[in-house]
Amino acid sequence: MNGLWGRGRTLIAGSVLACALLVGLSQAAAPAPEPVIPEGEGARIVVSAPGQNPVSLYFEERGSGQTVLLLHGLGESSFTWHDVMPALAARYRVIALDLMGFGRSDKPQDAAYSADAQAALVARFILDKNLDDIALVGHSFGGTVALRTALAEGIRGTGRIRRIAVIGSPALPRSTARYLDLVKTPVIPDTLASALSPEALARLLLREASGGSVTSDENIEGYAAPYRDPAAMQAFFATARTIVMETDADAIAKRYKALEQPVLVVWCRKDPIVPLSAGRKLAAALPRARLSIIEGCHHLPQHERPKQLLKTLNAFIAR
Protein backbone atom coordinates (compact mmCIF):
# COMPACT_ATOMS: atom_id res chain seq x y z
CA MET A 1 0.00 0.00 0.00
CA ASN A 2 1.14 3.56 -0.63
CA GLY A 3 1.11 5.59 2.57
CA LEU A 4 -1.21 4.98 5.50
CA TRP A 5 -4.37 4.20 3.52
CA GLY A 6 -3.05 3.85 -0.01
CA ARG A 7 -4.48 4.92 -3.34
CA GLY A 8 -4.63 8.54 -2.30
CA ARG A 9 -6.95 8.09 0.69
CA THR A 10 -6.77 10.89 3.24
CA LEU A 11 -5.29 10.42 6.71
CA ILE A 12 -8.73 10.80 8.25
CA ALA A 13 -10.38 8.28 5.97
CA GLY A 14 -7.61 5.73 6.40
CA SER A 15 -7.12 6.06 10.12
CA VAL A 16 -10.74 6.18 11.14
CA LEU A 17 -11.81 3.50 8.71
CA ALA A 18 -9.13 1.24 10.10
CA CYS A 19 -10.16 2.02 13.65
CA ALA A 20 -13.91 2.16 13.20
CA LEU A 21 -14.16 -0.35 10.39
CA LEU A 22 -17.62 0.92 9.56
CA VAL A 23 -18.95 3.83 11.50
CA GLY A 24 -18.30 7.44 12.43
CA LEU A 25 -17.75 8.58 15.95
CA SER A 26 -17.62 11.98 17.64
CA GLN A 27 -16.38 12.94 21.06
CA ALA A 28 -17.58 16.52 20.91
CA ALA A 29 -21.08 16.07 19.47
CA ALA A 30 -24.08 17.03 21.59
CA PRO A 31 -26.40 14.37 23.03
CA ALA A 32 -29.31 13.24 20.86
CA PRO A 33 -32.08 10.62 20.92
CA GLU A 34 -31.21 6.94 20.92
CA PRO A 35 -30.34 5.34 17.56
CA VAL A 36 -33.18 4.88 15.14
CA ILE A 37 -33.95 1.20 14.54
CA PRO A 38 -36.76 0.91 11.99
CA GLU A 39 -39.72 -1.44 12.31
CA GLY A 40 -40.69 -3.14 15.50
CA GLU A 41 -39.94 -2.46 19.13
CA GLY A 42 -37.08 -3.87 21.12
CA ALA A 43 -36.70 -5.12 24.66
CA ARG A 44 -34.04 -5.27 27.33
CA ILE A 45 -32.67 -8.00 29.54
CA VAL A 46 -30.21 -7.71 32.43
CA VAL A 47 -27.52 -10.38 32.28
CA SER A 48 -24.54 -11.13 34.46
CA ALA A 49 -21.61 -13.25 33.35
CA PRO A 50 -19.02 -14.69 35.75
CA GLY A 51 -16.60 -11.98 36.84
CA GLN A 52 -18.61 -9.17 35.24
CA ASN A 53 -21.09 -6.67 36.63
CA PRO A 54 -24.71 -6.98 35.45
CA VAL A 55 -25.46 -5.14 32.22
CA SER A 56 -28.67 -4.35 30.37
CA LEU A 57 -28.65 -5.63 26.78
CA TYR A 58 -31.03 -4.42 24.11
CA PHE A 59 -32.45 -6.80 21.51
CA GLU A 60 -35.10 -6.97 18.81
CA GLU A 61 -37.11 -10.12 18.17
CA ARG A 62 -39.39 -11.01 15.26
CA GLY A 63 -40.86 -14.06 13.57
CA SER A 64 -41.25 -17.65 14.73
CA GLY A 65 -39.63 -21.04 14.17
CA GLN A 66 -35.98 -21.95 14.52
CA THR A 67 -33.99 -19.29 16.38
CA VAL A 68 -31.51 -17.19 14.42
CA LEU A 69 -29.41 -14.99 16.71
CA LEU A 70 -27.69 -12.07 14.97
CA LEU A 71 -24.54 -10.44 16.34
CA HIS A 72 -23.34 -7.18 14.81
CA GLY A 73 -19.78 -6.06 14.24
CA LEU A 74 -17.49 -3.43 15.73
CA GLY A 75 -19.05 0.03 15.58
CA GLU A 76 -22.43 -1.40 14.58
CA SER A 77 -25.65 -2.29 16.35
CA SER A 78 -28.75 -4.34 15.65
CA PHE A 79 -29.48 -1.68 13.01
CA THR A 80 -26.91 -3.31 10.71
CA TRP A 81 -29.37 -6.14 10.01
CA HIS A 82 -32.33 -3.98 8.96
CA ASP A 83 -32.01 -4.85 5.26
CA VAL A 84 -32.15 -8.61 5.88
CA MET A 85 -34.04 -9.05 9.14
CA PRO A 86 -37.59 -8.87 7.69
CA ALA A 87 -36.87 -11.64 5.18
CA LEU A 88 -35.22 -13.79 7.84
CA ALA A 89 -38.15 -13.21 10.20
CA ALA A 90 -40.53 -14.53 7.54
CA ARG A 91 -38.89 -17.94 8.00
CA TYR A 92 -37.35 -17.97 11.48
CA ARG A 93 -37.52 -16.54 14.95
CA VAL A 94 -34.90 -13.82 14.59
CA ILE A 95 -33.21 -12.02 17.47
CA ALA A 96 -30.81 -9.15 16.81
CA LEU A 97 -28.75 -8.33 19.89
CA ASP A 98 -26.84 -5.16 20.71
CA LEU A 99 -23.55 -6.23 22.27
CA MET A 100 -22.42 -4.51 25.45
CA GLY A 101 -21.08 -1.06 24.59
CA PHE A 102 -23.01 -0.77 21.33
CA GLY A 103 -26.39 0.42 20.12
CA ARG A 104 -28.85 0.72 23.00
CA SER A 105 -27.11 -1.68 25.37
CA ASP A 106 -25.24 -0.52 28.48
CA LYS A 107 -21.78 0.98 27.96
CA PRO A 108 -19.90 0.62 31.26
CA GLN A 109 -16.57 2.43 31.31
CA ASP A 110 -14.81 -0.21 33.38
CA ALA A 111 -15.97 -3.26 31.44
CA ALA A 112 -13.84 -5.78 29.58
CA TYR A 113 -14.69 -5.48 25.89
CA SER A 114 -12.80 -8.47 24.52
CA ALA A 115 -14.45 -11.06 22.29
CA ASP A 116 -14.37 -13.53 25.18
CA ALA A 117 -16.01 -11.08 27.58
CA GLN A 118 -18.74 -10.34 25.02
CA ALA A 119 -19.16 -14.07 24.39
CA ALA A 120 -19.72 -14.72 28.09
CA LEU A 121 -22.57 -12.19 28.05
CA VAL A 122 -24.08 -13.63 24.87
CA ALA A 123 -23.90 -17.09 26.47
CA ARG A 124 -25.73 -15.75 29.51
CA PHE A 125 -28.32 -14.14 27.22
CA ILE A 126 -28.92 -17.51 25.54
CA LEU A 127 -29.27 -19.30 28.86
CA ASP A 128 -31.48 -16.67 30.49
CA LYS A 129 -33.85 -16.67 27.51
CA ASN A 130 -33.61 -20.47 27.28
CA LEU A 131 -32.79 -20.40 23.58
CA ASP A 132 -32.12 -23.68 21.83
CA ASP A 133 -31.47 -25.03 18.33
CA ILE A 134 -29.78 -21.73 17.45
CA ALA A 135 -28.26 -20.64 14.19
CA LEU A 136 -25.76 -18.05 15.36
CA VAL A 137 -24.80 -15.42 12.77
CA GLY A 138 -22.12 -12.78 13.32
CA HIS A 139 -20.80 -9.99 11.13
CA SER A 140 -17.17 -8.85 11.47
CA PHE A 141 -16.30 -8.69 15.22
CA GLY A 142 -19.70 -10.29 15.88
CA GLY A 143 -18.49 -13.39 14.07
CA THR A 144 -15.53 -13.63 16.43
CA VAL A 145 -17.94 -13.32 19.36
CA ALA A 146 -20.15 -16.01 17.81
CA LEU A 147 -17.30 -18.53 17.65
CA ARG A 148 -16.23 -17.73 21.21
CA THR A 149 -19.83 -18.02 22.42
CA ALA A 150 -19.97 -21.61 21.20
CA LEU A 151 -16.96 -22.30 23.42
CA ALA A 152 -18.22 -20.34 26.43
CA GLU A 153 -19.13 -21.72 29.84
CA GLY A 154 -22.67 -23.04 29.89
CA ILE A 155 -22.87 -23.34 26.10
CA ARG A 156 -20.03 -25.59 25.03
CA GLY A 157 -21.16 -29.17 24.64
CA THR A 158 -24.86 -28.42 25.23
CA GLY A 159 -26.09 -28.47 21.63
CA ARG A 160 -27.87 -25.14 22.08
CA ILE A 161 -25.97 -23.68 19.12
CA ARG A 162 -26.51 -25.89 16.08
CA ARG A 163 -24.84 -23.85 13.36
CA ILE A 164 -22.63 -20.78 13.11
CA ALA A 165 -22.21 -18.34 10.22
CA VAL A 166 -19.47 -15.73 10.33
CA ILE A 167 -19.34 -12.87 7.83
CA GLY A 168 -16.06 -11.06 7.16
CA SER A 169 -14.87 -11.80 10.70
CA PRO A 170 -11.38 -11.08 12.11
CA ALA A 171 -11.64 -14.22 14.25
CA LEU A 172 -7.92 -14.95 14.03
CA PRO A 173 -5.35 -12.41 15.27
CA ARG A 174 -3.80 -10.08 12.70
CA SER A 175 -6.69 -10.54 10.28
CA THR A 176 -7.48 -6.86 9.80
CA ALA A 177 -5.64 -4.21 7.83
CA ARG A 178 -2.44 -3.26 9.66
CA TYR A 179 -3.37 0.38 10.20
CA LEU A 180 -5.93 -0.77 12.77
CA ASP A 181 -2.90 -0.71 15.09
CA LEU A 182 -3.44 3.06 15.30
CA VAL A 183 -5.90 2.44 18.12
CA LYS A 184 -2.97 1.49 20.35
CA THR A 185 -2.20 5.22 20.55
CA PRO A 186 -5.33 6.86 22.01
CA VAL A 187 -4.50 10.41 20.87
CA ILE A 188 -4.79 9.46 17.18
CA PRO A 189 -8.32 7.98 17.11
CA ASP A 190 -9.56 10.46 19.73
CA THR A 191 -8.36 13.42 17.67
CA LEU A 192 -9.76 12.06 14.43
CA ALA A 193 -13.06 11.11 16.01
CA SER A 194 -13.59 14.62 17.34
CA ALA A 195 -12.78 16.25 14.01
CA LEU A 196 -16.04 15.40 12.25
CA SER A 197 -19.66 14.90 13.21
CA PRO A 198 -21.04 11.35 13.51
CA GLU A 199 -23.06 11.90 10.33
CA ALA A 200 -20.09 13.11 8.28
CA LEU A 201 -17.90 10.28 9.45
CA ALA A 202 -20.61 7.68 8.89
CA ARG A 203 -21.13 8.91 5.35
CA LEU A 204 -17.40 8.82 4.60
CA LEU A 205 -16.71 5.46 6.20
CA LEU A 206 -19.77 3.63 4.93
CA ARG A 207 -18.87 4.75 1.43
CA GLU A 208 -15.33 3.44 1.87
CA ALA A 209 -16.56 0.14 3.35
CA SER A 210 -18.93 -0.23 0.40
CA GLY A 211 -16.36 0.39 -2.28
CA GLY A 212 -17.38 3.96 -3.03
CA SER A 213 -21.13 3.37 -3.29
CA VAL A 214 -23.47 6.15 -2.21
CA THR A 215 -24.96 5.49 1.23
CA SER A 216 -28.60 6.19 2.07
CA ASP A 217 -29.56 8.79 4.65
CA GLU A 218 -31.26 6.01 6.63
CA ASN A 219 -28.01 4.08 6.93
CA ILE A 220 -26.02 7.17 7.80
CA GLU A 221 -28.38 7.99 10.65
CA GLY A 222 -28.62 4.39 11.82
CA TYR A 223 -24.85 4.00 12.10
CA ALA A 224 -24.11 7.51 13.39
CA ALA A 225 -26.81 7.83 16.04
CA PRO A 226 -25.29 5.68 18.83
CA TYR A 227 -22.03 7.66 18.68
CA ARG A 228 -23.54 10.91 19.86
CA ASP A 229 -23.03 9.35 23.26
CA PRO A 230 -19.37 9.71 24.41
CA ALA A 231 -19.67 6.41 26.31
CA ALA A 232 -20.25 4.64 22.99
CA MET A 233 -17.01 6.00 21.61
CA GLN A 234 -15.09 4.88 24.69
CA ALA A 235 -16.55 1.38 24.42
CA PHE A 236 -15.74 1.30 20.73
CA PHE A 237 -12.05 2.06 21.15
CA ALA A 238 -11.76 -0.27 24.14
CA THR A 239 -13.11 -3.05 21.90
CA ALA A 240 -10.86 -2.12 18.97
CA ARG A 241 -7.80 -2.25 21.20
CA THR A 242 -8.63 -5.76 22.37
CA ILE A 243 -8.71 -6.87 18.73
CA VAL A 244 -5.23 -5.57 17.90
CA MET A 245 -3.77 -6.71 21.22
CA GLU A 246 -4.73 -10.34 20.56
CA THR A 247 -1.71 -11.77 18.75
CA ASP A 248 -1.36 -15.51 19.40
CA ALA A 249 -3.01 -16.97 16.30
CA ASP A 250 -1.86 -20.51 17.08
CA ALA A 251 -3.49 -20.46 20.52
CA ILE A 252 -6.76 -19.14 19.13
CA ALA A 253 -6.77 -21.66 16.28
CA LYS A 254 -6.20 -24.42 18.81
CA ARG A 255 -9.25 -23.28 20.77
CA TYR A 256 -11.37 -23.34 17.62
CA LYS A 257 -10.50 -27.00 17.06
CA ALA A 258 -12.94 -27.78 19.87
CA LEU A 259 -15.89 -26.40 17.88
CA GLU A 260 -18.36 -29.13 17.02
CA GLN A 261 -20.80 -27.07 14.97
CA PRO A 262 -20.70 -26.67 11.20
CA VAL A 263 -19.51 -23.16 10.38
CA LEU A 264 -20.28 -21.17 7.25
CA VAL A 265 -17.53 -18.64 6.55
CA VAL A 266 -19.01 -15.90 4.34
CA TRP A 267 -16.74 -13.34 2.70
CA CYS A 268 -17.00 -10.56 0.16
CA ARG A 269 -14.34 -11.02 -2.44
CA LYS A 270 -13.35 -7.34 -2.34
CA ASP A 271 -13.34 -6.85 1.44
CA PRO A 272 -10.76 -4.08 2.14
CA ILE A 273 -11.02 -4.31 5.93
CA VAL A 274 -10.76 -8.03 6.63
CA PRO A 275 -9.34 -9.37 3.35
CA LEU A 276 -10.40 -12.62 1.76
CA SER A 277 -7.04 -14.16 2.64
CA ALA A 278 -8.10 -13.94 6.29
CA GLY A 279 -11.31 -15.75 5.43
CA ARG A 280 -9.40 -18.58 3.80
CA LYS A 281 -7.17 -18.92 6.86
CA LEU A 282 -10.15 -18.94 9.19
CA ALA A 283 -11.99 -21.60 7.18
CA ALA A 284 -8.85 -23.75 7.24
CA ALA A 285 -8.55 -23.36 11.02
CA LEU A 286 -12.11 -24.50 11.77
CA PRO A 287 -12.83 -28.24 11.87
CA ARG A 288 -16.19 -28.16 10.06
CA ALA A 289 -16.08 -25.00 7.97
CA ARG A 290 -17.07 -24.13 4.45
CA LEU A 291 -16.07 -20.88 2.72
CA SER A 292 -18.69 -19.06 0.64
CA ILE A 293 -17.55 -16.05 -1.38
CA ILE A 294 -20.01 -13.32 -2.39
CA GLU A 295 -19.12 -11.36 -5.49
CA GLY A 296 -19.60 -7.65 -5.97
CA CYS A 297 -19.40 -6.55 -2.34
CA HIS A 298 -16.82 -5.30 0.13
CA HIS A 299 -17.31 -5.39 3.92
CA LEU A 300 -21.09 -4.93 4.12
CA PRO A 301 -22.91 -7.70 2.25
CA GLN A 302 -25.99 -7.12 4.41
CA HIS A 303 -26.33 -3.76 2.62
CA GLU A 304 -24.46 -4.31 -0.64
CA ARG A 305 -25.76 -7.78 -1.55
CA PRO A 306 -28.65 -8.55 0.83
CA LYS A 307 -30.41 -10.99 -1.50
CA GLN A 308 -27.26 -13.02 -2.08
CA LEU A 309 -26.46 -13.02 1.62
CA LEU A 310 -29.99 -14.18 2.44
CA LYS A 311 -29.78 -16.96 -0.13
CA THR A 312 -26.45 -18.11 1.32
CA LEU A 313 -27.65 -18.01 4.92
CA ASN A 314 -31.01 -19.68 4.22
CA ALA A 315 -29.37 -22.58 2.42
CA PHE A 316 -27.01 -23.09 5.35
CA ILE A 317 -29.61 -22.79 8.11
CA ALA A 318 -32.05 -25.11 6.34
CA ARG A 319 -29.57 -27.99 6.04
Side-chain angles (χ1 to χ4, degrees):
M1 298 187 100
N2 297 320
L4 183 63
W5 177 229
R7 294 177 295 174
R9 300 294 198 267
T10 65
L11 177 62
I12 290 178
S15 301
V16 181
L17 181 61
C19 297
L21 301 186
L22 300 174
V23 66
L25 313 172
S26 177
Q27 189 173 28
E34 286 189 321
V36 176
I37 301 179
E39 301 180 21
E41 295 183 359
R44 294 181 182 275
I45 183 172
V46 177
V47 300
S48 182
Q52 300 188 49
N53 293 325
V55 295
S56 174
L57 299 181
Y58 174 87
F59 65 96
E60 290 218 343
E61 182 172 347
R62 305 180 201 169
S64 60
Q66 181 183 356
T67 299
V68 177
L69 179 56
L70 304 174
L71 304 179
H72 62 79
L74 178 64
E76 302 173 358
S77 68
S78 51
F79 175 84
T80 198
W81 304 108
H82 77 102
D83 285 334
V84 297
M85 191 166 176
L88 288 172
R91 303 180 64 166
Y92 314 107
R93 175 192 183 189
V94 183
I95 301 173
L97 178 66
D98 281 352
L99 298 174
M100 176 182 65
F102 299 93
R104 295 177 178 174
S105 289
D106 282 355
K107 303 167 181 64
Q109 292 187 8
D110 58 349
Y113 283 100
S114 67
D116 285 322
Q118 294 281 13
L121 290 171
V122 175
R124 194 67 252 172
F125 175 84
I126 290 171
L127 294 171
D128 288 355
K129 285 188 64 66
N130 195 27
L131 303 180
D132 207 351
D133 193 29
I134 303 165
L136 189 56
V137 180
H139 174 247
S140 199
F141 177 68
T144 307
V145 176
L147 295 173
R148 307 290 176 86
T149 299
L151 298 172
E153 181 181 346
I155 299 297
R156 180 175 175 177
T158 64
R160 286 183 180 270
I161 298 175
R162 298 292 186 183
R163 297 180 178 277
I164 305 170
V166 299
I167 306 165
S169 300
L172 290 173
R174 310 303 293 173
S175 294
T176 56
R178 291 296 178 260
Y179 38 74
L180 181 62
D181 288 351
L182 286 166
V183 299
K184 293 180 181 179
T185 306
V187 66
I188 295 176
D190 290 352
T191 300
L192 291 170
S194 62
L196 297 174
S197 70
E199 294 82 5
L201 280 168
R203 182 178 291 106
L204 170 67
L205 300 174
L206 285 168
R207 178 173 293 185
E208 292 287 347
S210 302
S213 300
V214 176
T215 303
S216 69
D217 290 342
E218 180 184 22
N219 281 352
I220 292 169
E221 173 60 19
Y223 279 93
Y227 291 93
R228 298 189 182 106
D229 178 359
M233 184 183 65
Q234 294 169 5
F236 171 86
F237 285 122
T239 304
R241 289 180 185 116
T242 69
I243 295 174
V244 299
M245 293 297 184
E246 194 172 68
T247 58
D248 194 341
D250 290 339
I252 297 299
K254 185 176 180 179
R255 290 178 62 190
Y256 290 155
K257 294 299 182 184
L259 287 168
E260 300 175 348
Q261 297 88 346
V263 180
L264 178 66
V265 179
V266 182
W267 233 265
C268 289
R269 186 176 294 280
K270 299 179 180 179
D271 194 328
I273 296 170
V274 189
L276 178 57
S277 59
R280 297 188 190 280
K281 290 179 182 178
L282 178 60
L286 299 171
R288 299 181 61 193
R290 178 173 65 86
L291 177 64
S292 179
I293 300 172
I294 299 181
E295 304 289 347
C297 60
H298 301 80
H299 193 63
L300 300 171
Q302 64 270 38
H303 301 315
E304 299 175 87
R305 291 291 184 270
K307 291 183 180 179
Q308 184 59 44
L309 179 61
L310 284 166
K311 181 180 179 180
T312 301
L313 291 176
N314 283 329
F316 177 67
I317 296 170
R319 286 183 179 178

